[in-house]
Each structure stands twice: as structure tokens, then as C-alpha cells.
């Protein structure tokens, strides 16, 4: 029997018909559709139970309380902590994507020596050598931590300096230093008890101070009310976010805030709205009005509204003394609802360009903002978790990223009460990283490690028996049984808050500061800029009209193909 | 003879197709994989007095089901070898000592877009484990893990029977199986009630 | 009668920070693809800036977060979907989008009056290692499907599980808080059950300062907005706001 082509065709037809009665076509269809709905190259989240841990954000010195969702040892979500007395459950926009930052393409992973990969051993050797050859300057962007104390100890008795780059909020408090004798780092604003705030360009609702602190106060006491309990007067040359939501927006010409402050001082004095025994501005009301492009009547009226609901607090964006003097005139320095002292500290030296002129080596901590660029020929050891703008740094040293190291959180800028918290390490780092403090400890064995210092600070707090510990509820520290209990609480995200300072802050202003424009600070920093935006934040700002074009371009991280 | 040639050839084609489809196809479609070690539920139930599934397969207070116990749980008894079996040796040496999670192959693993809450089904609907997981707990041998080469999921989801007609009452975990039970018990949930 | 989850967004409080957008994208595993543009991007919550059109000292601005309105009546996207990939849930009032069922025709994107639906033009990708930071409660979508706000359904799931584990039938409302609501620093977004007359959100929705966008289309959106500023209400519904203007700024 010869097999013909017809046989093959008939057989195939039979096979096809038979196949329909088998699972083959149906199962393949079903399985392929399942496969097509679950393409294997689409990354999926880990299949792990989720735990919630508490910590404090250390991306900037504002110290917001965090609830971190963890799965499989990694952070998978970040939210605010409602019981945190300062941040009250709010965070800045970046924080919500901060758990992704540790894998940002610009994450610094290996030690680099002038763009060539190097090693920690070589970096240590180079630093040890440099420190023997000449002065070492250490620059800290987040003063008050245990690591900061380690930096100070290192430079004591050695040739060199420890200096800090203060946050803009602290910088704005520097005029009060010479009038009160109290360092700016120890001063803050009693926002909780004030009733009128006059902000000269300070973006109070847009990233000023601890993000949740003022936004929550303002939302509770001012938002949407025609006669709010808290009056926010925003002085800005254009309609900023804060101005758009303020009780009143005063439009003044660009760069004339100090002139307006002088004009307001005159207006207050002329209308006998403040006691007239202090210094008087040199410029007249008419001159100020011309400079600011605001009518005299408007300035007089503004002066009246300043004191209609007291206490009144003036907050400047920069360290202009003329604006700070307004607070003195209004009696707000050292008073309830005004500029207050939160703690006793020794003076901290702010960075000036001359600090690095004769240095042999400069060590820049990872907390220093990226727009800080010292002009120096010294060998620069730059610690950072992420690459920032290009900067002259001989050594780029990978520092711990978000939630990767144990560190403490001293009183955030602009607070009215002292506080202390601890940020425990919640995630591991993928590569070998060291903070500047750890680096110095590994070179100089005499330095006390930061972990030990943090514990000692807890012991001090416990011994002084003053203040409250805010965990799920607020407990006076005197009710805690032992230091161990305090440590346990702090390691789980609790915050210690001190009591208001008992001694009166004395303020003496001899003569009214001149209303000339303050020179930009030596370090070139006017705002805190994150080294790198989380990719989600840049994406969302670009895809919406939320941030203006120029800022949009700055915010958009370079497109990296991944 | 000639008259029957075509029908015979046709029938032969059908027969070959039926054979390939019902016998050869399942063998080819599924590949076998071994579990990292031979864990015997029955041994643990009998010898260690762990008779309640919930002793190792825990529903936490917040409702999350820690389905596969972490290596930590095994280390509670097996931090050192307490028996003679090869499986235990692998457990202690490869997973407990280096603190690694055992890479179990999960028979009931669903795609990522499925949300199934053990807390709701066990605590609210009072379903027993055996209702969906048949007699895992009483097995005295380790079942081979059969994985579908096309979809990548376990054979347990479809059920052993290729036509699904001969699946036992506790076999099968496809969407239609969930729907059937929901219909029987009159529990209506929308799409996102089971998907995420 | 089931719940009708909805929102009242207080525009007097919105400062345009964008925290809600970022928290939402982070919760829902939205990728930040460098090739996306404002037209092709994916923003389940999108905050827009609107002004009264004046410049100089008379200028007023406000910010409006826009997300899926969870329309209740003749829901446009539900009506046009050929795949039944979107459904209005009777138990919660949530318009549930099922990306795994979607075939990507984008008819729903055309039908949605609020531009609240987004298409996955590309497969999601993250820098190496960043997949470890993905939220386990939400599946990652693939290219070719439409997605939108699902009112953080993963959180509703977690709330249901927690209630079941505690032996309760109903969820504790404090356990179900969508990401945008939680993230807002001024507490501008209020979330609650519009079907419950005692729910504060339900009361706010019935206040005279509350309004809805495109209410005249009759889709019965469940996201309300609230503003004491007349120009804002007039922008949404022309000539709706009369009477003395609340002075701001």
C-alpha cells in the first residue's frame, strides 16, 4: 500500500479534528493568555509580609517622623508619623519616594579618586597622610549630631577647623546673635503661640522648617477662614505658593524687603503702635515707599494690621538684619509667640571662605548640600550618598543613604523647643559605605564611635529628668523606669521634647541696621537643595505644571537609560 | 477496501491526535522540579505534635498570612540536627546556619495581580485548610512540583485532570474555581475584591 | 446599601506641593520612565494650577488635584469598555479598573471627561535594584493597558484583612486611608463614605462651598471640591458663586 499525498492530507484532517477533542488547543490558549498577562520581564514586588517600623528622616536636618513599611528587609513605602510632635504626620514631597533613592542611578557606590575607581584603604591612607602634612578642615551640614561632636573632637588639638553650613532657617536667625548673645543654632520661632506672621519671602508653606510643623498649624488655624486665628502676611515680589494661600499677599519690588521692613518700622513708630524707646530707621517712610513701590498709605495700613492680632512674628528668608530688627521693635524677641531660645549650646563656627584657604585637606560630610562649592586648592574628601552637581572633589566617598545608618536627630532648625530622636538603620547598603564619622573613627582610634556617643546622650537626657517622650502618647521622661526604656523608645521612632527655656532672652539693639542688601553667603547657599531628586518626584513635576519651566529643567534628573 | 481507506486514515489521524493530546501532551507540558528539600508534613504532625496547621502557617494579628514559615521558625527546633535524614542536613547546613530563606516551590502560587486573603477565608468564612489545599498536611511523601512550561505556574492551579472534569473537590485554583465556590455560598465580590 | 467612598478636596488648603502625586505613584508602583512627557506620562493624581487670569497684584492662583472621580451615574468609562475591564463596585462605589483585562483600545480615555485615565505606553522598568522597593500590595502593570486611580485598593484589602483577623465584619475607617489623603501636609483631601449621613465628608459635600467639576454632565462624580473663594467656584461652574468675596492674598 503506497502512501499518497491524499493520505497525508486526510490523516492531517483527522489529526486536526481529533486535536480539537484533546486539551491541546484549549490548554495552550489558556496558558498563553496567562503568560501574556504575566510577562516574566515585568518586575513584580516581593511576596513577603509587610512590617511597619518607625524612624526619622535624615535626608535633611528637619527630622520628620516616619513610618516605614518593610518587606523582605527592604523599605517599600514611606508615610508620616502622626504622633511626632513636630512633623505631625506630614513630610516633604521627596520623602514619599525616598525609599527608592538608595537605588537611584546616581547613587555613589564605589570610592572615586579623581574619576578613577579607588578603594577605602587608599582613601584612608591619603587622608591620614594629608592630616599629618597640614591643617584639616571639616565641614558639616547637619550640626548637633553625635557625628558632629566627633568632628569637633577630631579638630580639637589638631591644626584645623570644624565649621558648619547652616540651613537657611538658621541663617535667617544670625542677626539675633549679636543682639541677644545667643547663637543662631539655639534660636527658633514659637509658631505654635503666635497670631500674626509676617514672612518676608520665606516659603513657609513650601518647604520651610520641618514641613509638617507650619503647614499643620496653618491648616488648623488659618486655612479657608475669612478671619483666621493665625494671620499669615506674605511679602513676595510675585505670587509664590505661600503668597497664594496667605491671608494677605503684599507685593513688593524684588530685593526691597529690607527697605519695606524699615518702612514698616517707621509706620509702627509714627502711629504709636509700638513703644518708642528703641532705635529708629535712618530712612523715612516716604523713601521706603518709593524703594518698594508701595504707597505710604498701604505701608501705614500694613503696620496697623501687623499689631491688630498680637503676638506678631517676623520671619525673613535671609539674614537681613533690618527685617530681624522689626521683631525687636514688636517685642517679639524672647517673648511668647516670637523668637525664642530652645537650648543651650556652645557657639558653632559658620563656614567662611577663609576657612579653607590654607587647608591641606577638606573633609565634607554627606549632609552638606551639593550647591556648596568651596574655593580651595586643598585635597577635598567629599562624602556623599548620591552624585550631585559636578564639583571639584579629589575623593568621592560613598556615604550611607536613606535609612542605612544609625544616627541621631538633634533639634531641627526653627524649632521652639529642644528635641532629640534617633534614626535606626532599617535597610542594608548594597555596597560598602562609610559615613565621614565612621571614616575618621577608623583612622583615629581615640575617637569615641557615634553609637556610643548617642547612648551617652540618652543617658544624659535620662539623668536630667526634664521633658517628654512622644511615642504613641506623650510620657514625661521622669516616668520612664530606666535608660534602657528610653533607648528602646527612641530606637522605635519616639522623640524627646524639652521644656521651654526658663530664662528670659535679653535683646539689645543699639541702632537700626542699615537697609542695604545683605551679601550672599560665602558658601553660595540660599536654599537647601537635595543632591538628587527621587526619580518619581522629577517625573511628576515634569508631567504636571506644578513647578515652573526653569525649575522643571533643574529638577529633571539627566535621562539615564535603564 | 478502497471505500474505507479515507475514513480509516482519518480515524487513524484522530487516534494519533487523541493519544498525543491526552497522553503525551501533559507529560510534555509540565516539567518536574524538586523542592529544595523533602519536607514531610506527616512526620512533623506525628513526631513533633504539630497537629494544627496554624502552628507554622500563621495568620498574624493584622491579618497578614505568613504562609511559608521563615527559616527562623524551623530553627526553633532544628538549629542543630536532631535527626538522621538527608533533608534535615540540607536544611541545617544550607539554610539555617547561613540564615537564608528556603526557596520553596509554592504549589498554590498565584499571579501577582491576584489578592487572596487567608484571614477572610479562614476566620470569617471558616474554611478549613483542606478545603482548598486538600490533604497536604497528611502527606507522607513530598509531591513533585509540576510546573506548566508555558504559563510558569504550578499544575495545581489547573488541577491534575487535563479536562478538569475529573478534578477532585479540593483541586484546582483557577479563577473559575474561586467563582464557583463564591456562587455556591452567595458571596459577591467585585473584580478588585480578588485582584490588586 | 453599600458604602460610597468619595472625597472632598479643600482648595483653600492645597499648596501645590505635589506630595499627593508622589505618594500615589509610590504606592501604586508607577515607574518614572525618562521617555515620558506630560502627554504620555502616568499620573493617577495630577495637580493642576489655575489662576484668575489677571497679572500683577490682582492675580490669584489655586491648585487642584485631579484624579478619577469615581462617577456613579452612567459611568462613561464603564459604558464604553469593550472588555468589561472596568466596573462600578456596588459595595464600595469605587470604579474598579482591571489592567489585566484591558486590551488597550483606550476608548475609556476618550470617554473620561476628566482626563483621569492613563495609558502604559511602555513596559515599566526601574533602575537595577529598585524593584526591591516596590509596594507588595499592588501588581505592576505591563505596557498596553490603561490604568487610573483605584482609591488605593491595596489599603482597603489590608483593612479588610485586619478586620477579618479581629473577627469583625466591617473595616475600621482609620485603617483605610488612601495614599494621597495620608500624604497631604495641610490635610486638604478628606476621604470618607458619602453614603453615611454622619460622616464628616458626607456633610462637607453637602455644604454650599462644595462643588464638583463638570457636574452638569450628570455623571455624578464622587470627588467634591470646596473653596471659599468665589473666583474658584465660578471657574468650575460659571456664575455659581455670588455674594461677598472672601479676601485672600
Amino acid at each position: 500500500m503506497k502512501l499518497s499525498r491524499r493520505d497525508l492530507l486526510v490523516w492531517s484532517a483527522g489529526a486536526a479534528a481529533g486535536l480539537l477533542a484533546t486539551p491541546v488547543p484549549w490548554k495552550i490558549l489558556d496558558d498563553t493568555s496567562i503568560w501574556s498577562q504575566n510577562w516574566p520581564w515585568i518586575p513584580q514586588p516581593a511576596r513577603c509580609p509587610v512590617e511597619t517600623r518607625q524612624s526619622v528622616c535624615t535626608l535633611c536636618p528637619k527630622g520628620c517622623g516616619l513610618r516605614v513599611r518593610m518587606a523582605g528587609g527592604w523599605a517599600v513605602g514611606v508615610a508620616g508619623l502622626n504622633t511626632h510632635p513636630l512633623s505631625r504626620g506630614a513630610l516633604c514631597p521627596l520623602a514619599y519616594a525616598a525609599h527608592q533613592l538608595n537605588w537611584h542611578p546616581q547613587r555613589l557606590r564605589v570610592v572615586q579618586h579623581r574619576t578613577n575607581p579607588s578603594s577605602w584603604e587608599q582613601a584612608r591612607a591619603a587622608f591620614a597622610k594629608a592630616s599629618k602634612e597640614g591643617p584639616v578642615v571639616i565641614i558639616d551640614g547637619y550640626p548637633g549630631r553625635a557625628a558632629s561632636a566627633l568632628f569637633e573632637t577630631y579638630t580639637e588639638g589638631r591644626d584645623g577647623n570644624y565649621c558648619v553650613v547652616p540651613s537657611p532657617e538658621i541663617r535667617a536667625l544670625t542677626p539675633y546673635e549679636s543682639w541677644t548673645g545667643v547663637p543662631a543654632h539655639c534660636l527658633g520661632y514659637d509658631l505654635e503661640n503666635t497670631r500674626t506672621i509676617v514672612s518676608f519671602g520665606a516659603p513657609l508653606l513650601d518647604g520651610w522648617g520641618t514641613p509638617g510643623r507650619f503647614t499643620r498649624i496653618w491648616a488648623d488655624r488659618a486655612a479657608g477662614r475669612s478671619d483666621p486665628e493665625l494671620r499669615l502676611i506674605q511679602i513676595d515680589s510675585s505670587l509664590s505658593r505661600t503668597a497664594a494661600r496667605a491671608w494677605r499677599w503684599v507685593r513688593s519690588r524684588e530685593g526691597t524687603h529690607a527697605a519695606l521692613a524699615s518702612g514698616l518700622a517707621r509706620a509702627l513708630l509714627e502711629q504709636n503702635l509700638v513703644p518708642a524707646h528703641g532705635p529708629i530707621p535712618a530712612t523715612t517712610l516716604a523713601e521706603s515707599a518709593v524703594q518698594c513701590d508701595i504707597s505710604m498709605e498701604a505701608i501705614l495700613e500694613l503696620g496697623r494690621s501687623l499689631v491688630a492680632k498680637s503676638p506678631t512674628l517676623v520671619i525673613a528668608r535671609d539674614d537681613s538684619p533690618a527685617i530681624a530688627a522689626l521683631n525687636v521693635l514688636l517685642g517679639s524677641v524672647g517673648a511668647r509667640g516670637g523668637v525664642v531660645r530652645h537650648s543651650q549650646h556652645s557657639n558653632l563656627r559658620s563656614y567662611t571662605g577663609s576657612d579653607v584657604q590654607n587647608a591641606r585637606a577638606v573633609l565634607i560630610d554627606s549632609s552638606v548640600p551639593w550647591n556648596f562649592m568651596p574655593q580651595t586648592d586643598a585635597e577635598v574628601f567629599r562624602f556623599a550618598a548620591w552624585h550631585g552637581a559636578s564639583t571639584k572633589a579629589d575623593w568621592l566617598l560613598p556615604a550611607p543613604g536613606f535609612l542605612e545608618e544609625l544616627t541621631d536627630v538633634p533639634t531641627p532648625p526653627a524649632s521652639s523647643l529642644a528635641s532629640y530622636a534617633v534614626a535606626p538603620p532599617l535597610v542594608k547598603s548594597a555596597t560598602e559605605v562609610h559615613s565621614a564619622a565612621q571614616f575618621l573613627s577608623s583612622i583615629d582610634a581615640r575617637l569615641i564611635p557615634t553609637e556610643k556617643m548617642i547612648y551617652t546622650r540618652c543617658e544624659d537626657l535620662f539623668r536630667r529628668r526634664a521633658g517628654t517622650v512622644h511615642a504613641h502618647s506623650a510620657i514625661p521622661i521622669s516616668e520612664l523606669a530606666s535608660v534602657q526604656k528610653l533607648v528602646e523608645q527612641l530606637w522605635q521612632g519616639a522623640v524627646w521634647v524639652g521644656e521651654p527655656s526658663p530664662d528670659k532672652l535679653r535683646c539689645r539693639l543699639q541702632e537700626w541696621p542699615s537697609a542695604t542688601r545683605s551679601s550672599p553667603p560665602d558658601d553660595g547657599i540660599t536654599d537647601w537643595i537635595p543632591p538628587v531628586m527621587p526619580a518619581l518626584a522629577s517625573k511628576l513635576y515634569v508631567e504636571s505644571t506644578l513647578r515652573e519651566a526653569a525649575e522643571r529643567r533643574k529638577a529633571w534628573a539627566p535621562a539615564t537609560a535603564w | 477496501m478502497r471505500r474505507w481507506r479515507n475514513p480509516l486514515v482519518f480515524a487513524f489521524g484522530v487516534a494519533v491526535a487523541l493519544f498525543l493530546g491526552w497522553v503525551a501532551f501533559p507529560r510534555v507540558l509540565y516539567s518536574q522540579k524538586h523542592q529544595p528539600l523533602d519536607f514531610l508534613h506527616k512526620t512533623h504532625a506525628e513526631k513533633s505534635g504539630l497537629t494544627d496547621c496554624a502552628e507554622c502557617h500563621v495568620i498574624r494579628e493584622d491579618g497578614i498570612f505568613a504562609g511559608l514559615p521563615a527559616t527562623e521558625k524551623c530553627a526553633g527546633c532544628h538549629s542543630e540536627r536532631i535527626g538522621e535524614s538527608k533533608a534535615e542536613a540540607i536544611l541545617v547546613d544550607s539554610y539555617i546556619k547561613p540564615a537564608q530563606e528556603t526557596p520553596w516551590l509554592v504549589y498554590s502560587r498565584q499571579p501577582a495581580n491576584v489578592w487572596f486573603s487567608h484571614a477572610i477565608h479562614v476566620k470569617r468564612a471558616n474554611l478549613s485548610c483542606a478545603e482548598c489545599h486538600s490533604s497536604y498536611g497528611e502527606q507522607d511523601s513530598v509531591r513533585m512540583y509540576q510546573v506548566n512550561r508555558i504559563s510558569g505556574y504550578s499544575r495545581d492551579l489547573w488541577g491534575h485532570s487535563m479536562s478538569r472534569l475529573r478534578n477532585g473537590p479540593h483541586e484546582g485554583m483557577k479563577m473559575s474555581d474561586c467563582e464557583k465556590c463564591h456562587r455556591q455560598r452567595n458571596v459577591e465580590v467585585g473584580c478588585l475584591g480578588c485582584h490588586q | 446599601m453599600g458604602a460610597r467612598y468619595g472625597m472632598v478636596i479643600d482648595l483653600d488648603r492645597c499648596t501645590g506641593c505635589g506630595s499627593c502625586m508622589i505618594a500615589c505613584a509610590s504606592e501604586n508602583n508607577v515607574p518614572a520612565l525618562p521617555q515620558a512627557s506630560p502627554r504620555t506620562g502616568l499620573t493617577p493624581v495630577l495637580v493642576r494650577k489655575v489662576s484668575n487670569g489677571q497679572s500683577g497684584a490682582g492675580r490669584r492662583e489655586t491648585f487642584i488635584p485631579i484624579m478619577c472621580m469615581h462617577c456613579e451615574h452612567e459611568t462613561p468609562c464603564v459604558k464604553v469598555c469593550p472588555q468589561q475591564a472596568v466596573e462600578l463596585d456596588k459595595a464600595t462605589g469605587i470604579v474598579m479598573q482591571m489592567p489585566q483585562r484591558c486590551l488597550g483600545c483606550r476608548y475609556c480615555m476618550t470617554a473620561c471627561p476628566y482626563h483621569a485615565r492613563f495609558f502604559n505606553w511602555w513596559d515599566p522598568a526601574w533602575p537595577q535594584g529598585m524593584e526591591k522597593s516596590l509596594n507588595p500590595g499592588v501588581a505592576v502593570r505591563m505596557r498596553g493597558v490603561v490604568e487610573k486611580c483605584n482609591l488605593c485598593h491595596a489599603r482597603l484589602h489590608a483593612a479588610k484583612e485586619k478586620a477579618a483577623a479581629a473577627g469583625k465584619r466591617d473595616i475600621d475607617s482609620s485603617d483605610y486611608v488612601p495614599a494621597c489623603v495620608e500624604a497631604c501636609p495641610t490635610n486638604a483631601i478628606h476621604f470618607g463614605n458619602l453614603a453615611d449621613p454622619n460622616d464628616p465628608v458626607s456633610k462637607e459635600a453637602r455644604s454650599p462651598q462644595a462643588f464638583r467639576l463638570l457636574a452638569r454632565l450628570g455623571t455624578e462624580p464622587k470627588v467634591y471640591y470646596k473653596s471659599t473663594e468665589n473666583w474658584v467656584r465660578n471657574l468650575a461652574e460659571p456664575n455659581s458663586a455670588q455674594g461677598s468675596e472672601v479676601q485672600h492674598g
Side-chain angles (χ1 to χ4, degrees):
Chain A
M1 191 150 72
K2 253 180 100 178
L3 290 171
S4 69
R5 206 167 42 162
R6 166 178 271 196
D7 287 329
L8 181 62
L9 288 169
V10 171
W11 182 91
S12 306
L19 216 54
L20 288 175
T22 65
V24 174
W26 318 112
K27 192 81 174 71
I28 289 183
L29 200 63
D30 188 83
D31 291 336
T32 314
S33 69
I34 299 286
W35 175 85
S36 73
Q37 290 167 9
N38 298 284
W39 278 335
W41 59 83
I42 307 290
Q44 291 294 345
R47 292 166 184 256
C48 301
V50 171
E51 322 270 348
T52 305
R53 306 276 297 275
Q54 293 178 177
S55 185
V56 182
C57 182
T58 49
L59 288 179
C60 86
K62 315 285 173 64
C64 300
L66 295 179
R67 260 181 307 134
V68 184
R69 293 174 68 234
M70 312 275 305
W74 304 107
V76 295
V78 172
L81 186 57
N82 288 331
T83 52
H84 194 283
L86 265 183
S87 61
R88 292 173 63 190
L91 297 172
C92 76
L94 307 187
Y96 293 100
H99 57 294
Q100 297 181 340
L101 272 178
N102 291 337
W103 290 278
H104 196 282
Q106 282 174 266
R107 178 77 203 265
L108 203 51
R109 293 174 209 280
V110 292
V111 175
Q112 283 187 23
H113 178 48
R114 295 195 188 121
T115 72
N116 298 323
S118 181
S119 70
W120 282 105
E121 288 74 39
Q122 291 186 302
R124 279 189 204 107
F127 186 80
K129 177 163 171 283
S131 60
K132 290 197 183 74
E133 289 172 3
V136 169
V137 177
I138 301 183
I139 304 177
D140 184 7
Y142 194 160
R145 299 171 292 165
S148 314
L150 188 144
F151 296 149
E152 258 185 299
T153 315
Y154 182 85
T155 52
E156 264 169 28
R158 266 199 181 85
D159 207 5
N161 284 327
Y162 163 71
C163 46
V164 309
V165 171
S167 324
E169 293 87 350
I170 294 183
R171 197 189 302 276
L173 289 163
T174 46
Y176 302 98
E177 281 182 340
S178 49
W179 307 335
T180 61
V182 175
H185 292 93
C186 306
L187 294 171
Y189 303 102
D190 186 17
L191 300 171
E192 285 77 7
N193 294 308
T194 191
R195 290 172 78 207
T196 304
I197 295 183
V198 187
S199 161
F200 282 78
L204 299 184
L205 291 173
D206 195 17
W208 180 92
T210 304
R213 186 176 168 220
F214 186 66
T215 49
R216 293 282 199 227
I217 292 173
W218 175 81
D220 288 342
R221 298 168 61 203
R225 302 194 203 189
S226 51
D227 184 23
E229 278 172 37
L230 170 64
R231 290 180 170 183
L232 173 58
I233 301 172
Q234 181 75 8
I235 299 170
D236 258 322
S237 54
S238 63
L239 190 64
S240 64
R241 275 175 172 65
T242 312
R245 297 271 74 80
W247 176 73
R248 182 177 298 181
W249 169 41
V250 175
R251 191 159 165 260
S252 84
R253 196 181 279 154
E254 176 84 39
T256 59
H257 287 173
L260 181 56
S262 304
L264 275 171
R266 280 278 186 179
L268 290 168
L269 288 163
E270 279 176 27
Q271 297 176 98
N272 294 319
L273 296 171
V274 291
H277 51 57
I280 302 175
T283 48
T284 62
L285 179 55
E287 285 168 355
S288 300
V290 164
Q291 277 181 45
C292 314
D293 194 22
I294 301 179
S295 70
M296 278 173 54
E297 291 74 36
I299 298 184
L300 286 165
E301 202 270 321
L302 185 58
R304 289 195 291 276
S305 67
L306 242 62
V307 295
K309 235 177 163 91
S310 61
T312 308
L313 177 58
V314 174
I315 300 179
R317 189 195 178 97
D318 57 21
D319 56 356
S320 163
I323 302 176
L326 208 47
N327 262 334
V328 180
L329 200 62
L330 289 162
S332 306
V333 181
R336 187 178 154 87
V339 177
V340 296
R341 169 179 25 206
H342 56 68
S343 34
Q344 319 278 350
H345 270 311
S346 58
N347 209 345
L348 285 172
R349 185 204 181 96
S350 281
Y351 169 83
T352 58
S354 55
D355 278 314
V356 291
Q357 257 160 27
N358 298 318
R360 165 64 180 82
V362 176
L363 187 140
I364 307 179
D365 184 53
S366 55
S367 56
V368 176
W370 268 105
N371 48 351
F372 169 76
M373 310 230 200
Q375 303 298 322
T376 179
D377 291 324
E379 193 174 5
V380 177
F381 293 79
R382 214 320 176 181
F383 281 83
W386 300 278
H387 277 289
S390 62
T391 184
K392 186 245 170 200
D394 301 280
W395 292 90
L396 278 176
L397 301 154
F402 184 63
L403 301 176
E404 284 182 352
E405 72 166 326
L406 170 68
T407 184
D408 57 347
V409 181
T411 312
S415 295
S416 56
L417 298 170
S419 64
Y420 191 70
V422 171
L426 293 182
V427 299
K428 292 195 300 280
S429 172
T431 55
E432 187 184 352
V433 295
H434 295 287
S435 64
Q438 284 172 330
F439 183 76
L440 290 175
S441 291
S442 65
I443 294 179
D444 187 347
R446 294 168 300 173
L447 294 168
I448 303 173
T450 48
E451 298 82 48
K452 224 164 165 217
M453 271 200 263
I454 293 174
Y455 194 81
T456 312
R457 288 178 168 198
C458 293
E459 282 178 338
D460 280 340
L461 279 179
F462 183 74
R463 231 175 286 124
R464 276 191 268 147
R465 302 188 85 67
T468 341
V469 175
H470 293 254
H472 294 290
S473 54
I475 316 166
I477 199 173
S478 46
E479 284 178 26
L480 289 176
S482 63
V483 177
Q484 216 27 59
K485 286 272 177 281
L486 174 63
V487 166
E488 251 172 49
Q489 297 274 21
L490 291 181
W491 254 251
Q492 283 168 26
V495 190
W496 170 84
V497 177
E499 282 155 14
S501 174
D503 32 320
K504 188 116 175 57
L505 198 64
R506 271 175 227 287
C507 179
R508 229 168 332 144
L509 180 57
Q510 305 285 45
E511 60 175 14
W512 192 267
S514 66
T516 50
R517 289 188 74 159
S518 56
S519 51
D522 261 349
D523 48 38
I525 298 179
T526 47
D527 284 314
W528 183 83
I529 293 182
V532 60
M533 293 265 274
L536 266 185
S538 334
K539 155 207 150 72
L540 289 163
Y541 286 151
V542 165
E543 290 172 14
S544 66
T545 53
L546 269 194
R547 302 279 169 186
E548 301 311 325
E551 283 178 27
R552 206 192 285 193
R553 276 192 288 278
K554 207 167 45 170
W556 182 233
T560 359
W562 62 67
Chain B
M1 199 50 207
R2 256 177 147 215
R3 257 181 66 198
W4 299 101
R5 187 186 170 88
N6 277 345
L8 274 173
V9 172
F10 187 87
F12 181 52
V14 173
V16 168
L18 286 177
F19 177 78
L20 287 178
W22 288 100
V23 178
F25 178 62
R27 279 177 229 260
V28 163
L29 182 62
Y30 292 107
S31 78
Q32 323 274 31
K33 277 197 184 162
H34 288 276
Q35 293 284 359
L37 56 101
D38 292 343
F39 173 82
L40 297 177
H41 274 97
K42 194 152 187 204
T43 317
H44 282 77
E46 287 173 355
K47 290 201 185 157
S48 349
L50 291 166
T51 46
D52 186 12
C53 309
E55 296 217 34
C56 294
H57 302 283
V58 180
I59 297 183
R60 292 188 337 201
E61 238 178 64
D62 58 4
I64 294 184
F65 181 60
L68 291 176
T71 316
E72 247 176 28
K73 186 109 192 158
C74 309
C77 295
H78 291 278
S79 49
E80 294 293 335
R81 292 211 217 153
I82 56 178
E84 304 291 318
S85 66
K86 188 161 157 263
E88 200 202 358
I90 300 176
L91 173 73
V92 174
D93 297 333
S94 310
Y95 303 112
I96 291 187
K97 292 247 162 80
Q100 294 281 343
E101 287 306 320
T102 316
W104 298 111
L105 298 165
V106 183
Y107 300 102
S108 45
R109 185 168 159 273
Q110 296 280 347
N113 62 51
V114 172
W115 176 70
F116 178 80
S117 167
H118 276 90
I120 293 178
H121 289 83
V122 170
K123 298 229 163 161
R124 244 174 79 176
N126 283 316
L127 292 176
S128 69
C129 307
E131 191 88 40
C132 303
H133 296 287
S134 52
S135 53
Y136 277 13
E138 287 144 33
Q139 282 160 3
D140 56 4
S141 60
V142 178
R143 267 199 312 136
M144 187 67 76
Y145 182 80
Q146 291 188 301
V147 59
N148 185 312
R149 286 183 212 266
I150 302 176
S151 72
Y153 288 92
S154 156
R155 188 171 185 170
D156 279 37
L157 296 188
W158 181 267
H160 202 84
S161 160
M162 290 302 282
S163 67
R164 304 204 89 213
L165 296 170
R166 295 194 312 164
N167 272 344
H170 306 296
E171 269 190 86
M173 280 184 172
K174 285 186 69 67
M175 181 166 152
S176 49
D177 299 304
C178 303
E179 280 183 316
K180 189 168 88 178
C181 192
H182 271 255
R183 220 176 299 125
Q184 277 169 1
R185 289 163 198 252
N186 215 7
V187 179
E188 208 184 290
V189 284
C191 305
L192 283 180
C194 303
H195 281 285
Q196 62 178 19
Chain C
M1 165 132 187
R4 284 170 57 225
Y5 286 115
M7 290 181 174
V8 175
I9 303 181
D10 191 344
L11 298 183
D12 293 323
R13 293 184 175 211
C14 180
T15 58
C17 65
S19 295
C20 53
M21 299 201 306
I22 300 176
C24 166
S26 165
E27 163 82 14
N28 291 295
N29 296 333
V30 173
L33 295 170
Q35 63 266 47
S37 70
R39 199 178 60 82
T40 57
L42 224 165
T43 50
V45 177
L46 181 58
V47 180
R48 294 180 191 269
K49 181 160 76 168
V50 294
S51 77
N52 64 351
Q54 293 179 38
S55 58
R59 186 174 178 80
R60 300 282 178 272
E61 281 176 356
T62 193
F63 297 92
I64 301 194
I66 309 241
M67 64 279 270
C68 170
M69 303 284 159
H70 297 280
C71 304
E72 273 197 307
H73 182 248
E74 309 269 358
T75 317
C77 54
V78 172
K79 287 178 83 74
V80 302
C81 180
Q83 276 285 89
Q84 291 177 316
V86 60
E87 186 184 84
L88 172 61
D89 186 14
K90 292 193 269 293
T92 55
I94 297 175
V95 174
M96 306 184 290
Q97 170 70 15
M98 305 296 297
Q100 46 274 64
R101 216 175 143 105
C102 174
L103 55 75
C105 69
R106 302 196 294 127
Y107 196 173
C108 57
M109 287 173 71
T110 322
C112 176
Y114 303 100
H115 298 295
R117 290 174 147 270
F118 304 90
F119 188 67
N120 282 279
W121 292 98
W122 302 277
D123 272 329
W126 282 268
Q128 196 175 33
M130 214 187 260
E131 327 78 49
K132 298 191 191 69
S133 68
L134 291 176
N135 180 7
V138 178
V140 177
R141 287 72 62 195
M142 63 180 70
R143 73 171 184 268
V145 297
V146 174
E147 65 179 76
K148 68 165 187 72
C149 161
N150 268 335
L151 275 191
C152 280
H153 229 271
R155 295 178 178 217
L156 179 56
H157 286 171
K160 283 186 180 168
E161 256 193 333
K162 196 165 164 204
K168 294 194 231 159
R169 178 139 210 119
D170 295 317
I171 63 164
D172 187 347
S173 58
S174 62
D175 283 333
Y176 177 33
V177 180
C180 55
V181 179
E182 191 181 53
C184 183
T186 53
N187 217 14
I189 309 183
H190 304 157
F191 174 74
N193 181 3
L194 295 172
D196 176 6
N198 297 321
D199 190 312
V201 168
S202 173
K203 291 185 191 157
E204 268 187 307
R206 285 175 271 141
S207 76
Q209 286 107 18
F211 62 91
R212 291 181 289 186
L213 295 176
L214 297 176
R216 61 186 179 274
L217 292 179
T219 58
E220 296 298 315
K222 291 207 288 296
V223 174
Y224 289 75
Y225 294 87
K226 195 171 96 157
S227 175
T228 52
E229 295 181 87
N230 286 358
W231 71 270
V232 174
R233 298 206 305 279
N234 282 328
L235 210 58
E237 293 289 344
N239 303 317
S240 63
Q242 310 291 341
S244 59
E245 166 86 52
V246 172
Q247 290 301 327
H248 281 294

